[in-house]
Amino acid sequence: MLNIEQKKSKFSKNWEPVFVDMEQRLCVMSVGFLLTNRNDAIILRGPKKNATIKQFLNDVDWPDLDYLIIDMPPGTSDEHISVIENLREYNLDGALLITTPQAVATGDVRRELSFCKKTVIPIIGIVENMSGFVCPYCQECTNIFSKGGGEFLANQLEVPFLGRIPICPQISRYQDGHAESLKLFSQTNEADSIEAIVKKLVK
């Protein structure tokens, strides 16, 4: 997603995260950086999976961070429990839940929200991703995956709704290696949507 798949994490006493930008303002750690071949499958079960998550949290030489964002898979699995157990002492700010508008996706997020409540993790809010496609020529929005599911869920469960992010071809092109698309993306309405959500998060 950040066009850093070819980079590798260095190891001295601990693993070192990979910086995305020359100014070293954003760094990332991923199992993908540890693979010899990026096409290899990652097969981890039970204690080995939990140990890997613990290493990523405790054995990485993170610089001084303003924010630590952990991207979790959908659902309520061992990964979620391991992260919560290992970060409990650090007083998490909370969980940011991402959904697409259709019912099958909001159903998963509903269960994730229930999981957060049972494990006493604050809910920062819900974001509706892939919320329509805005034609770059006529600016008409087509709701490919339905509309409003994220906002409806947030209102129903009484948690903050932070906004919608439309589908943006420029993001896909950047992820496919077209670096010039990132500059074009910064000039889009989709970028404004993301910026508005970020401002709510950091205020």
Side-chain angles (χ1 to χ4, degrees):
M1 182 175 289
L2 296 170
N3 281 328
I4 52 175
E5 291 87 354
Q6 303 302 327
K7 296 186 179 181
K8 298 293 183 183
S9 175
K10 297 178 182 178
F11 185 86
S12 51
K13 293 182 179 179
N14 292 315
W15 287 323
E16 296 181 8
V18 171
F19 283 95
V20 175
D21 55 334
M22 295 294 294
E23 296 80 11
Q24 297 194 346
R25 295 174 299 179
L26 176 63
C27 58
V28 178
M29 190 62 200
S30 169
V31 173
F33 300 144
L34 310 179
L35 298 177
T36 303
N37 185 333
R38 60 177 293 190
N39 295 317
D40 286 345
I42 300 168
I43 303 173
L44 297 173
R45 295 182 62 188
K48 193 169 184 179
K49 180 192 295 184
N50 294 336
T52 301
I53 292 171
K54 187 173 182 178
Q55 283 185 298
F56 269 37
L57 295 172
N58 299 323
D59 297 338
V60 174
D61 282 333
W62 296 106
D64 290 335
L65 299 174
D66 295 315
Y67 302 97
L68 175 63
I69 301 172
I70 301 175
D71 183 18
M72 300 294 296
T76 53
S77 60
D78 286 350
E79 292 93 334
H80 300 76
I81 296 171
S82 295
V83 168
I84 289 169
E85 288 178 346
N86 283 285
L87 290 179
R88 180 76 68 184
E89 63 183 286
Y90 297 106
N91 298 318
L92 296 176
D93 289 328
L96 175 63
L97 304 179
I98 312 296
T99 186
T100 49
Q102 66 270 43
V104 67
T106 59
D108 280 342
V109 172
R110 187 186 300 273
R111 288 184 285 274
E112 290 167 6
L113 197 146
S114 174
F115 173 87
C116 290
K117 288 184 176 179
K118 289 180 179 179
T119 53
V120 198
I121 299 299
I123 306 297
I124 297 173
I126 292 176
V127 172
E128 186 176 289
N129 194 23
M130 302 177 72
S131 184
F133 170 74
V134 179
C135 175
Y137 302 104
C138 68
Q139 301 304 307
E140 180 179 351
C141 181
T142 302
N143 295 303
I144 300 172
F145 298 112
S146 183
K147 178 184 179 182
E151 185 172 13
F152 177 82
L153 180 65
N155 292 335
Q156 187 179 52
L157 300 178
E158 299 181 338
V159 299
F161 179 68
L162 300 177
R164 298 180 178 85
I165 302 173
I167 297 170
C168 182
Q170 300 300 345
I171 293 180
S172 298
R173 283 181 55 79
Y174 175 70
Q175 292 170 350
D176 289 340
H178 300 277
E180 75 283 355
S181 295
L182 188 62
K183 184 177 180 180
L184 295 174
F185 168 70
S186 67
Q187 304 165 4
T188 64
N189 292 330
E190 292 85 349
D192 293 338
S193 300
I194 293 175
E195 185 176 356
I197 292 170
V198 171
K199 286 180 177 177
K200 292 178 182 178
L201 292 173
V202 302
K203 68 178 180 180

